[in-house]
Coordinates of all heavy atoms in Angstrom, one line a residue:
A1207 N 1.9 -14.9 -4.5 CA 3.1 -14.2 -5.0 C 3.2 -12.9 -4.4 O 4.3 -12.4 -4.0 CB 3.1 -14.2 -6.5
A1208 N 2.1 -12.1 -4.3 CA 2.2 -10.8 -3.7 C 2.6 -10.8 -2.3 O 3.5 -10.0 -1.8 CB 0.8 -10.1 -3.8
F1209 N 2.1 -11.8 -1.5 CA 2.5 -11.9 -0.1 C 4.0 -12.2 0.0 O 4.7 -11.6 0.8 CB 1.7 -12.9 0.6 CG 2.1 -13.1 2.1 CD1 1.6 -12.2 3.0 CD2 2.8 -14.2 2.5 CE1 2.0 -12.3 4.3 CE2 3.2 -14.3 3.8 CZ 2.8 -13.4 4.7
A1210 N 4.4 -13.2 -0.8 CA 5.8 -13.6 -0.7 C 6.8 -12.5 -1.2 O 7.8 -12.3 -0.5 CB 6.1 -14.9 -1.6
N1211 N 6.4 -11.8 -2.2 CA 7.2 -10.7 -2.6 C 7.3 -9.5 -1.6 O 8.3 -8.9 -1.4 CB 6.8 -10.1 -4.0 CG 7.1 -11.1 -5.1 OD1 8.0 -11.9 -5.0 ND2 6.4 -11.0 -6.2
S1212 N 6.2 -9.3 -1.0 CA 6.1 -8.3 0.1 C 7.0 -8.7 1.3 O 7.7 -7.9 1.8 CB 4.6 -8.1 0.6 OG 4.6 -7.1 1.5
F1213 N 6.9 -9.9 1.7 CA 7.7 -10.4 2.8 C 9.2 -10.3 2.5 O 10.0 -9.9 3.3 CB 7.3 -11.9 3.1 CG 8.2 -12.5 4.2 CD1 7.9 -12.3 5.5 CD2 9.2 -13.4 3.8 CE1 8.7 -12.8 6.5 CE2 10.0 -13.9 4.8 CZ 9.7 -13.7 6.1
L1214 N 9.6 -10.7 1.3 CA 11.0 -10.7 0.9 C 11.5 -9.2 0.7 O 12.6 -8.9 1.1 CB 11.2 -11.4 -0.4 CG 11.1 -13.0 -0.3 CD1 11.2 -13.6 -1.6 CD2 12.3 -13.5 0.6
A1215 N 10.6 -8.3 0.2 CA 11.0 -6.9 0.1 C 11.3 -6.4 1.5 O 12.3 -5.6 1.7 CB 10.0 -6.1 -0.6
S1216 N 10.5 -6.8 2.5 CA 10.7 -6.3 3.8 C 11.9 -6.9 4.4 O 12.8 -6.2 5.1 CB 9.5 -6.6 4.7 OG 9.7 -6.2 6.0
A1217 N 12.1 -8.2 4.3 CA 13.2 -9.0 4.9 C 14.5 -8.5 4.3 O 15.5 -8.4 5.1 CB 13.0 -10.4 4.7
L1218 N 14.6 -8.3 3.0 CA 15.8 -7.9 2.3 C 16.0 -6.4 2.3 O 17.0 -5.9 1.7 CB 15.8 -8.5 1.0 CG 15.8 -10.0 0.9 CD1 15.6 -10.5 -0.5 CD2 17.0 -10.6 1.5
D1219 N 15.1 -5.7 2.9 CA 15.2 -4.2 3.0 C 15.2 -3.6 1.6 O 15.9 -2.6 1.3 CB 16.4 -3.7 3.8 CG 16.1 -2.5 4.5 OD1 14.9 -2.1 4.7 OD2 17.1 -1.9 5.0
F1220 N 14.3 -4.1 0.7 CA 14.2 -3.5 -0.7 C 13.0 -2.6 -0.8 O 12.1 -2.8 -1.5 CB 14.0 -4.6 -1.7 CG 15.1 -5.5 -2.0 CD1 15.0 -6.7 -2.6 CD2 16.4 -5.1 -1.6 CE1 16.1 -7.5 -2.9 CE2 17.5 -5.9 -1.9 CZ 17.3 -7.1 -2.5
D1221 N 13.1 -1.5 0.0 CA 12.0 -0.6 0.0 C 12.4 0.8 0.4 O 13.6 1.0 0.7 CB 10.9 -1.0 1.0 CG 11.3 -1.0 2.5 OD1 12.6 -1.1 2.7 OD2 10.5 -0.7 3.3
S1222 N 11.5 1.7 0.3 CA 11.8 3.1 0.6 C 11.2 3.4 1.9 O 10.4 2.7 2.5 CB 11.3 4.0 -0.5 OG 9.9 3.8 -0.6
L1223 N 11.6 4.5 2.5 CA 11.0 5.0 3.8 C 10.5 6.4 3.6 O 11.2 7.3 3.1 CB 12.1 5.0 4.8 CG 11.7 5.6 6.2 CD1 10.6 4.8 6.9 CD2 12.9 5.8 7.1
H1224 N 9.2 6.6 4.0 CA 8.7 7.9 4.0 C 8.9 8.4 5.5 O 8.2 7.9 6.4 CB 7.2 7.9 3.7 CG 6.5 9.3 3.6 ND1 6.0 9.9 4.7 CD2 6.4 10.1 2.6 CE1 5.6 11.1 4.4 NE2 5.8 11.2 3.1
Q1225 N 9.8 9.3 5.6 CA 10.3 9.6 7.0 C 9.3 10.4 7.8 O 9.2 10.2 9.0 CB 11.6 10.4 6.9 CG 12.8 9.6 6.5 CD 14.1 10.3 6.4 OE1 14.1 11.5 6.4 NE2 15.2 9.6 6.4
V1226 N 8.5 11.2 7.2 CA 7.5 12.0 8.0 C 6.4 11.1 8.4 O 5.9 11.1 9.6 CB 6.9 13.2 7.1 CG1 5.8 13.9 7.9 CG2 8.0 14.1 6.7
G1227 N 5.9 10.2 7.6 CA 4.9 9.3 7.9 C 5.4 8.0 8.6 O 4.5 7.2 9.0
V1228 N 6.7 7.8 8.6 CA 7.3 6.6 9.1 C 6.6 5.4 8.5 O 6.1 4.5 9.2 CB 7.2 6.5 10.7 CG1 8.1 5.4 11.2 CG2 7.6 7.9 11.3
A1229 N 6.7 5.3 7.2 CA 6.0 4.2 6.4 C 7.0 3.6 5.4 O 7.7 4.3 4.8 CB 4.8 4.7 5.7
H1230 N 6.9 2.3 5.2 CA 7.6 1.6 4.2 C 6.5 1.2 3.2 O 6.1 0.0 3.1 CB 8.3 0.4 4.7 CG 9.3 0.7 5.8 ND1 10.6 0.9 5.4 CD2 9.3 0.8 7.1 CE1 11.3 1.2 6.5 NE2 10.5 1.1 7.6
A1231 N 6.0 2.2 2.4 CA 4.9 1.9 1.5 C 5.1 0.9 0.4 O 4.3 0.1 0.1 CB 4.4 3.3 0.9
D1232 N 6.3 0.9 -0.1 CA 6.6 0.1 -1.3 C 6.6 -1.4 -1.0 O 6.5 -2.2 -1.9 CB 7.9 0.5 -1.9 CG 7.8 1.9 -2.6 OD1 6.7 2.3 -3.0 OD2 8.8 2.6 -2.7
I1233 N 6.8 -1.8 0.3 CA 6.8 -3.2 0.5 C 5.4 -3.8 0.5 O 5.3 -5.0 0.3 CB 7.5 -3.6 1.9 CG1 6.7 -3.0 3.1 CG2 8.9 -3.2 1.9 CD1 7.2 -3.4 4.5
I1234 N 4.4 -3.0 0.5 CA 3.0 -3.4 0.4 C 2.5 -3.1 -1.0 O 1.9 -3.9 -1.7 CB 2.2 -2.8 1.5 CG1 2.7 -3.3 2.8 CG2 0.7 -3.1 1.3 CD1 2.3 -2.5 4.0
V1235 N 2.6 -1.8 -1.4 CA 2.0 -1.3 -2.6 C 2.5 -2.0 -3.9 O 1.8 -2.4 -4.7 CB 2.0 0.2 -2.7 CG1 1.6 0.7 -4.0 CG2 1.2 0.8 -1.5
V1236 N 3.8 -2.0 -4.0 CA 4.5 -2.5 -5.2 C 4.1 -4.0 -5.5 O 3.7 -4.3 -6.6 CB 6.0 -2.3 -5.3 CG1 6.6 -3.0 -6.5 CG2 6.3 -0.8 -5.3
P1237 N 4.3 -4.9 -4.5 CA 3.9 -6.3 -4.8 C 2.5 -6.5 -5.1 O 2.1 -7.3 -6.0 CB 4.3 -7.1 -3.6 CG 5.4 -6.2 -2.9 CD 5.0 -4.8 -3.2
T1238 N 1.6 -5.7 -4.5 CA 0.2 -5.8 -4.7 C -0.1 -5.3 -6.2 O -0.8 -6.0 -6.9 CB -0.6 -5.0 -3.7 OG1 -0.3 -5.5 -2.4 CG2 -2.1 -5.1 -4.0
A1239 N 0.4 -4.2 -6.5 CA 0.2 -3.6 -7.8 C 0.7 -4.5 -8.9 O 0.0 -4.7 -9.9 CB 0.8 -2.2 -7.9
V1240 N 1.9 -5.1 -8.8 CA 2.5 -5.9 -9.8 C 1.6 -7.2 -10.0 O 1.4 -7.6 -11.1 CB 4.0 -6.2 -9.5 CG1 4.5 -7.3 -10.4 CG2 4.8 -5.0 -9.6
A1241 N 1.2 -7.8 -8.9 CA 0.5 -9.0 -9.0 C -0.9 -8.8 -9.7 O -1.3 -9.5 -10.6 CB 0.2 -9.6 -7.6
V1242 N -1.6 -7.7 -9.3 CA -2.9 -7.5 -9.9 C -2.7 -7.0 -11.4 O -3.5 -7.4 -12.3 CB -3.7 -6.5 -9.1 CG1 -5.1 -6.2 -9.7 CG2 -4.0 -7.1 -7.7
A1243 N -1.8 -6.1 -11.6 CA -1.5 -5.6 -13.0 C -1.2 -6.7 -13.9 O -1.7 -6.7 -15.1 CB -0.4 -4.5 -12.9
E1244 N -0.4 -7.7 -13.5 CA -0.1 -8.8 -14.3 C -1.3 -9.6 -14.6 O -1.5 -10.1 -15.7 CB 1.0 -9.7 -13.6 CG 1.4 -10.8 -14.5 CD 2.5 -11.7 -13.8 OE1 2.6 -11.6 -12.5 OE2 3.2 -12.4 -14.5
D1245 N -2.2 -9.8 -13.6 CA -3.4 -10.6 -13.8 C -4.3 -10.0 -14.8 O -5.0 -10.7 -15.6 CB -4.0 -10.8 -12.4 CG -5.2 -11.8 -12.5 OD1 -5.0 -12.9 -13.0 OD2 -6.3 -11.5 -12.1
V1246 N -4.5 -8.7 -14.7 CA -5.4 -8.0 -15.6 C -4.8 -7.5 -16.9 O -5.5 -7.0 -17.8 CB -6.2 -6.9 -14.9 CG1 -6.9 -7.3 -13.7 CG2 -5.2 -5.7 -14.5
G1247 N -3.5 -7.7 -17.1 CA -2.8 -7.2 -18.3 C -2.8 -5.7 -18.4 O -2.8 -5.2 -19.5
A1248 N -2.6 -5.0 -17.3 CA -2.5 -3.6 -17.3 C -1.2 -3.1 -17.9 O -0.2 -3.8 -17.9 CB -2.5 -3.0 -15.9
S1249 N -1.2 -1.9 -18.5 CA 0.0 -1.3 -19.1 C 1.0 -0.9 -18.0 O 0.7 -0.8 -16.9 CB -0.4 -0.1 -20.0 OG -0.8 0.9 -19.1
G1250 N 2.2 -0.7 -18.4 CA 3.3 -0.2 -17.5 C 2.9 1.2 -17.0 O 3.1 1.5 -15.8
K1251 N 2.3 2.0 -17.8 CA 1.8 3.3 -17.4 C 0.8 3.2 -16.3 O 0.8 3.9 -15.2 CB 1.3 4.1 -18.5 CG 0.8 5.5 -18.2 CD 0.3 6.2 -19.5 CE -0.1 7.6 -19.2 NZ -0.6 8.3 -20.4
T1252 N -0.1 2.3 -16.4 CA -1.2 2.1 -15.4 C -0.6 1.5 -14.1 O -1.0 1.9 -13.0 CB -2.3 1.1 -16.0 OG1 -2.8 1.7 -17.1 CG2 -3.3 0.9 -14.9
L1253 N 0.4 0.6 -14.3 CA 1.1 0.0 -13.1 C 1.8 1.1 -12.3 O 1.6 1.2 -11.1 CB 2.1 -1.0 -13.5 CG 3.0 -1.6 -12.5 CD1 2.2 -2.3 -11.4 CD2 4.1 -2.5 -13.1
V1254 N 2.6 2.0 -13.0 CA 3.3 3.1 -12.3 C 2.3 4.0 -11.6 O 2.5 4.5 -10.5 CB 4.2 3.8 -13.2 CG1 4.8 5.0 -12.6 CG2 5.4 2.8 -13.7
A1255 N 1.2 4.3 -12.3 CA 0.2 5.3 -11.7 C -0.4 4.7 -10.5 O -0.7 5.3 -9.5 CB -0.8 5.6 -12.8
S1256 N -0.7 3.4 -10.5 CA -1.3 2.7 -9.4 C -0.4 2.6 -8.2 O -0.8 2.8 -7.0 CB -1.8 1.3 -9.7 OG -0.8 0.4 -10.0
I1257 N 0.9 2.4 -8.4 CA 1.9 2.4 -7.4 C 2.0 3.8 -6.7 O 2.0 4.0 -5.5 CB 3.3 2.0 -7.9 CG1 3.3 0.5 -8.3 CG2 4.4 2.3 -6.9 CD1 4.5 0.0 -9.0
A1258 N 2.0 4.8 -7.6 CA 2.1 6.2 -7.0 C 0.9 6.6 -6.2 O 1.0 7.1 -5.1 CB 2.2 7.2 -8.2
A1259 N -0.3 6.1 -6.7 CA -1.5 6.4 -5.9 C -1.6 5.6 -4.6 O -1.9 6.1 -3.6 CB -2.8 6.0 -6.8
G1260 N -1.1 4.4 -4.7 CA -1.1 3.5 -3.4 C -0.1 4.1 -2.4 O -0.4 4.1 -1.2
D1261 N 1.1 4.5 -2.9 CA 2.0 5.1 -2.0 C 1.5 6.3 -1.3 O 1.7 6.6 -0.1 CB 3.3 5.4 -2.7 CG 4.2 4.2 -2.9 OD1 3.9 3.1 -2.4 OD2 5.3 4.3 -3.6
D1262 N 0.8 7.1 -2.1 CA 0.2 8.4 -1.6 C -0.8 8.1 -0.6 O -0.9 8.7 0.5 CB -0.4 9.2 -2.8 CG -0.9 10.5 -2.4 OD1 -0.1 11.3 -1.8 OD2 -2.1 10.8 -2.5
V1263 N -1.7 7.1 -0.8 CA -2.8 6.8 0.2 C -2.1 6.3 1.4 O -2.5 6.8 2.5 CB -3.7 5.7 -0.4 CG1 -4.6 5.1 0.7 CG2 -4.6 6.2 -1.5
L1264 N -1.2 5.4 1.4 CA -0.5 4.9 2.6 C 0.2 6.0 3.4 O 0.1 6.0 4.6 CB 0.4 3.7 2.2 CG 0.7 2.8 3.4 CD1 0.9 1.4 2.9 CD2 2.0 3.3 4.1
C1265 N 1.0 6.8 2.7 CA 1.7 7.8 3.4 C 0.8 8.9 4.0 O 1.1 9.3 5.1 CB 2.7 8.4 2.4 SG 4.1 7.3 2.0
R1266 N -0.3 9.2 3.3 CA -1.2 10.2 3.9 C -1.9 9.6 5.2 O -2.1 10.3 6.2 CB -2.3 10.6 2.9 CG -1.8 11.5 1.8 CD -2.9 11.8 0.8 NE -2.4 12.6 -0.3 CZ -2.4 13.9 -0.3 NH1 -3.0 14.6 0.6 NH2 -1.9 14.6 -1.4
L1267 N -2.2 8.3 5.1 CA -2.8 7.7 6.3 C -1.8 7.6 7.4 O -2.2 7.9 8.6 CB -3.3 6.2 6.0 CG -4.5 6.1 5.1 CD1 -4.7 4.6 4.7 CD2 -5.7 6.6 5.9
C1268 N -0.6 7.3 7.1 CA 0.5 7.3 8.2 C 0.7 8.7 8.8 O 0.9 8.8 10.0 CB 1.8 6.8 7.6 SG 1.7 5.0 7.2
R1269 N 0.7 9.7 7.9 CA 0.9 11.1 8.4 C -0.3 11.6 9.3 O -0.1 12.5 10.1 CB 1.1 12.0 7.3 CG 2.5 11.9 6.6 CD 2.7 12.9 5.6 NE 2.8 14.2 6.3 CZ 3.0 15.4 5.6 NH1 3.0 15.4 4.3 NH2 3.0 16.5 6.3
S1270 N -1.4 11.0 9.1 CA -2.6 11.4 9.9 C -2.5 10.9 11.3 O -3.3 11.4 12.2 CB -3.9 10.9 9.2 OG -4.0 9.5 9.4
T1271 N -1.7 9.9 11.6 CA -1.5 9.4 12.9 C -0.6 10.3 13.7 O 0.5 10.6 13.3 CB -1.0 8.0 12.9 OG1 -1.8 7.2 12.0 CG2 -0.9 7.4 14.2
R1272 N -1.0 10.7 14.9 CA -0.2 11.6 15.7 C 0.7 10.8 16.6 O 0.2 10.0 17.4 CB -1.1 12.6 16.5 CG -2.1 13.4 15.7 CD -1.3 14.6 15.1 NE -2.2 15.5 14.4 CZ -2.0 15.9 13.2 NH1 -1.0 15.6 12.6 NH2 -2.9 16.7 12.7
G1273 N 1.9 11.1 16.6 CA 2.9 10.5 17.6 C 3.1 9.0 17.3 O 2.4 8.4 16.5
N1274 N 4.0 8.5 17.9 CA 4.3 7.0 17.7 C 3.5 6.3 18.7 O 3.8 6.3 19.9 CB 5.8 6.8 17.8 CG 6.2 5.3 17.5 OD1 5.3 4.5 17.4 ND2 7.4 5.0 17.4
T1275 N 2.6 5.6 18.3 CA 1.7 4.8 19.2 C 2.2 3.4 19.4 O 1.5 2.6 20.0 CB 0.2 4.8 18.6 OG1 0.3 4.1 17.3 CG2 -0.3 6.1 18.4
G1276 N 3.4 3.1 18.8 CA 3.9 1.7 19.0 C 3.5 0.8 17.8 O 4.0 -0.3 17.8
W1277 N 2.7 1.3 16.9 CA 2.3 0.5 15.8 C 3.3 0.6 14.7 O 3.9 1.7 14.5 CB 0.9 0.9 15.3 CG -0.2 0.6 16.2 CD1 -0.7 1.4 17.1 CD2 -0.9 -0.7 16.2 NE1 -1.8 0.7 17.8 CE2 -1.9 -0.5 17.2 CE3 -0.8 -1.8 15.5 CZ2 -2.8 -1.6 17.5 CZ3 -1.7 -2.8 15.8 CH2 -2.7 -2.7 16.8
F1278 N 3.4 -0.4 13.9 CA 4.2 -0.4 12.6 C 3.2 0.0 11.6 O 2.4 -0.7 11.1 CB 4.8 -1.8 12.3 CG 5.6 -1.8 11.1 CD1 6.7 -1.0 10.9 CD2 5.3 -2.7 10.1 CE1 7.5 -1.1 9.8 CE2 6.1 -2.8 8.9 CZ 7.2 -1.9 8.8
Y1279 N 3.3 1.3 11.2 CA 2.3 1.9 10.4 C 2.1 1.3 9.0 O 1.0 1.2 8.5 CB 2.5 3.4 10.2 CG 2.4 4.2 11.5 CD1 3.4 5.3 11.7 CD2 1.5 3.9 12.5 CE1 3.3 6.0 12.8 CE2 1.5 4.7 13.6 CZ 2.4 5.7 13.8 OH 2.3 6.4 14.9
S1280 N 3.2 0.7 8.5 CA 3.1 0.0 7.2 C 2.1 -1.1 7.3 O 1.3 -1.3 6.3 CB 4.4 -0.5 6.7 OG 5.3 0.6 6.7
S1281 N 2.1 -1.9 8.3 CA 1.2 -3.0 8.4 C -0.2 -2.6 8.9 O -1.2 -3.3 8.7 CB 1.8 -4.2 9.3 OG 2.3 -3.7 10.5
L1282 N -0.2 -1.5 9.6 CA -1.5 -1.0 10.1 C -2.3 -0.4 8.9 O -3.5 -0.7 8.8 CB -1.3 0.1 11.1 CG -2.5 0.7 11.7 CD1 -3.3 -0.3 12.6 CD2 -2.1 1.9 12.7
Y1283 N -1.7 0.4 8.1 CA -2.4 1.1 7.0 C -2.2 0.4 5.6 O -2.9 0.7 4.6 CB -2.0 2.5 6.9 CG -2.4 3.3 8.1 CD1 -1.4 4.0 8.8 CD2 -3.7 3.4 8.5 CE1 -1.8 4.7 10.0 CE2 -4.1 4.1 9.6 CZ -3.1 4.8 10.4 OH -3.4 5.5 11.5
G1284 N -1.2 -0.5 5.5 CA -0.9 -1.2 4.2 C -2.1 -1.9 3.6 O -2.3 -1.8 2.4
P1285 N -2.9 -2.7 4.4 CA -4.0 -3.4 3.8 C -5.0 -2.4 3.2 O -5.7 -2.7 2.2 CB -4.6 -4.1 4.9 CG -3.5 -4.3 5.9 CD -2.7 -3.1 5.8
I1286 N -5.2 -1.2 3.7 CA -6.1 -0.2 3.2 C -5.6 0.3 1.8 O -6.3 0.3 0.8 CB -6.3 1.0 4.2 CG1 -6.9 0.4 5.5 CG2 -7.2 2.0 3.5 CD1 -6.8 1.5 6.6
A1287 N -4.3 0.6 1.8 CA -3.7 1.1 0.5 C -3.7 0.0 -0.5 O -4.0 0.2 -1.7 CB -2.3 1.6 0.7
G1288 N -3.3 -1.2 -0.1 CA -3.3 -2.4 -1.0 C -4.7 -2.7 -1.6 O -4.8 -3.0 -2.8
A1289 N -5.7 -2.6 -0.8 CA -7.1 -2.8 -1.3 C -7.5 -1.8 -2.3 O -8.1 -2.1 -3.3 CB -8.1 -2.8 -0.1
A1290 N -7.1 -0.5 -2.0 CA -7.4 0.6 -3.0 C -6.7 0.3 -4.3 O -7.3 0.5 -5.4 CB -7.0 1.9 -2.4
V1291 N -5.4 -0.1 -4.3 CA -4.6 -0.3 -5.5 C -5.3 -1.5 -6.3 O -5.5 -1.4 -7.5 CB -3.2 -0.6 -5.1 CG1 -2.4 -1.2 -6.3 CG2 -2.5 0.6 -4.6
A1292 N -5.5 -2.6 -5.6 CA -6.1 -3.8 -6.3 C -7.4 -3.4 -6.9 O -7.7 -3.8 -8.0 CB -6.2 -4.9 -5.3
A1293 N -8.3 -2.8 -6.1 CA -9.6 -2.5 -6.6 C -9.5 -1.5 -7.8 O -10.3 -1.7 -8.8 CB -10.5 -1.9 -5.5
G1294 N -8.7 -0.5 -7.7 CA -8.5 0.4 -8.9 C -8.0 -0.3 -10.1 O -8.5 -0.1 -11.2
L1295 N -7.0 -1.2 -10.0 CA -6.5 -2.0 -11.1 C -7.6 -2.9 -11.7 O -7.5 -3.2 -12.9 CB -5.3 -2.7 -10.7 CG -4.0 -1.9 -10.7 CD1 -2.9 -2.7 -10.0 CD2 -3.5 -1.4 -12.0
L1296 N -8.4 -3.3 -10.9 CA -9.5 -4.2 -11.4 C -10.7 -3.5 -12.0 O -11.6 -4.1 -12.5 CB -10.0 -5.1 -10.2 CG -9.1 -6.2 -9.7 CD1 -9.5 -6.8 -8.4 CD2 -8.8 -7.2 -10.8
G1297 N -10.6 -2.2 -12.1 CA -11.5 -1.3 -12.7 C -12.7 -0.9 -11.9 O -13.8 -0.6 -12.5
A1298 N -12.6 -1.0 -10.6 CA -13.7 -0.7 -9.7 C -14.0 0.8 -9.7 O -13.1 1.6 -10.0 CB -13.4 -1.1 -8.3
D1299 N -15.2 1.2 -9.5 CA -15.6 2.6 -9.3 C -15.3 3.1 -7.9 O -14.9 2.3 -7.1 CB -17.0 2.9 -9.7 CG -18.1 2.2 -8.8 OD1 -17.7 1.7 -7.7 OD2 -19.2 2.1 -9.2
S1300 N -15.5 4.3 -7.6 CA -15.1 4.9 -6.4 C -15.8 4.3 -5.2 O -15.2 4.1 -4.1 CB -15.2 6.4 -6.4 OG -16.6 6.7 -6.6
R1301 N -17.1 3.9 -5.4 CA -17.8 3.3 -4.3 C -17.2 1.9 -3.9 O -17.1 1.6 -2.8 CB -19.3 3.2 -4.8 CG -20.2 2.7 -3.7 CD -21.7 2.6 -4.2 NE -22.2 1.6 -5.0 CZ -21.9 0.3 -5.2 NH1 -20.8 -0.1 -4.6 NH2 -22.6 -0.5 -5.9
V1302 N -16.9 1.1 -4.9 CA -16.3 -0.2 -4.7 C -14.9 0.0 -4.1 O -14.5 -0.8 -3.2 CB -16.3 -1.0 -5.9 CG1 -15.6 -2.3 -5.7 CG2 -17.7 -1.3 -6.4
I1303 N -14.1 0.9 -4.5 CA -12.8 1.2 -3.9 C -12.9 1.5 -2.5 O -12.2 1.0 -1.6 CB -12.0 2.2 -4.8 CG1 -11.7 1.7 -6.2 CG2 -10.7 2.6 -4.0 CD1 -11.1 2.8 -7.1
E1304 N -13.9 2.4 -2.2 CA -14.1 2.8 -0.8 C -14.5 1.6 0.0 O -14.0 1.4 1.2 CB -15.2 3.8 -0.7 CG -15.6 4.3 0.7 CD -16.8 5.3 0.7 OE1 -17.3 5.6 -0.4 OE2 -17.2 5.6 1.8
A1305 N -15.3 0.7 -0.5 CA -15.7 -0.5 0.2 C -14.5 -1.4 0.5 O -14.3 -2.0 1.5 CB -16.8 -1.3 -0.5
A1306 N -13.7 -1.6 -0.6 CA -12.4 -2.4 -0.4 C -11.5 -1.9 0.6 O -11.0 -2.6 1.4 CB -11.7 -2.5 -1.8
M1307 N -11.4 -0.5 0.7 CA -10.6 0.1 1.7 C -11.1 -0.1 3.1 O -10.4 -0.4 4.1 CB -10.4 1.6 1.4 CG -9.6 1.9 0.2 SD -9.6 3.6 -0.2 CE -8.5 4.3 1.0
G1308 N -12.4 -0.2 3.2 CA -13.1 -0.4 4.5 C -12.8 -1.9 4.9 O -12.5 -2.1 6.1
I1309 N -12.9 -2.8 4.0 CA -12.6 -4.2 4.3 C -11.1 -4.3 4.7 O -10.7 -5.0 5.6 CB -12.9 -5.1 3.1 CG1 -14.4 -5.2 2.9 CG2 -12.4 -6.5 3.4 CD1 -14.9 -5.8 1.7
G1310 N -10.2 -3.6 4.0 CA -8.8 -3.6 4.3 C -8.5 -3.1 5.7 O -7.5 -3.4 6.3
S1311 N -9.4 -2.2 6.3 CA -9.2 -1.7 7.6 C -9.6 -2.6 8.7 O -9.3 -2.3 9.9 CB -9.9 -0.3 7.7 OG -11.3 -0.5 7.8
M1312 N -10.2 -3.7 8.4 CA -10.6 -4.6 9.5 C -9.5 -5.4 10.0 O -8.6 -5.9 9.5 CB -11.7 -5.5 8.9 CG -13.0 -4.8 8.6 SD -14.2 -5.9 8.0 CE -15.6 -4.9 8.2

């Protein structure tokens, strides 16, 4: 469901753009957060906080890239932010979140 919602958000242009980082963070972070939050029964407050944190991670990663290298930064850094969001919602500690982000970067 998260993949389908992410694909449709991108195809239908239901997302925001971080102009400095050239990222469409919400097409990755929101579907991931909603799917995991629903699975674990997270509150709305937790869901919104995880979306904000995931958007922040993705946009910071995108801003760290110098110049346009030809990559679509949302798909380059999205798995890292998505992994952080999912692990955080699943109650992981910082070490496990770091490991999940590492796996997301592969």
Side-chain angles (χ1 to χ4, degrees):
F1209 179 78
N1211 287 336
S1212 182
F1213 176 79
L1214 288 172
S1216 178
L1218 298 173
D1219 214 14
F1220 289 165
D1221 68 329
S1222 59
L1223 172 66
H1224 185 272
Q1225 291 182 342
V1226 176
V1228 191
H1230 299 272
D1232 292 332
I1233 62 174
I1234 297 159
V1235 172
V1236 172
T1238 302
V1240 168
V1242 177
E1244 182 179 21
D1245 188 53
V1246 300
S1249 69
K1251 182 179 179 179
T1252 301
L1253 172 63
V1254 171
S1256 68
I1257 290 170
D1261 281 354
D1262 185 58
V1263 167
L1264 197 146
C1265 291
R1266 286 176 186 265
L1267 287 170
C1268 292
R1269 288 186 66 185
S1270 71
T1271 304
R1272 301 280 187 232
N1274 186 349
T1275 60
W1277 289 93
F1278 181 56
Y1279 297 143
S1280 302
S1281 48
L1282 181 65
Y1283 297 123
I1286 300 169
V1291 167
L1295 281 167
L1296 290 168
D1299 62 15
S1300 61
R1301 186 178 78 25
V1302 174
I1303 293 172
E1304 180 182 357
M1307 291 173 73
I1309 293 169
S1311 69
M1312 294 181 162

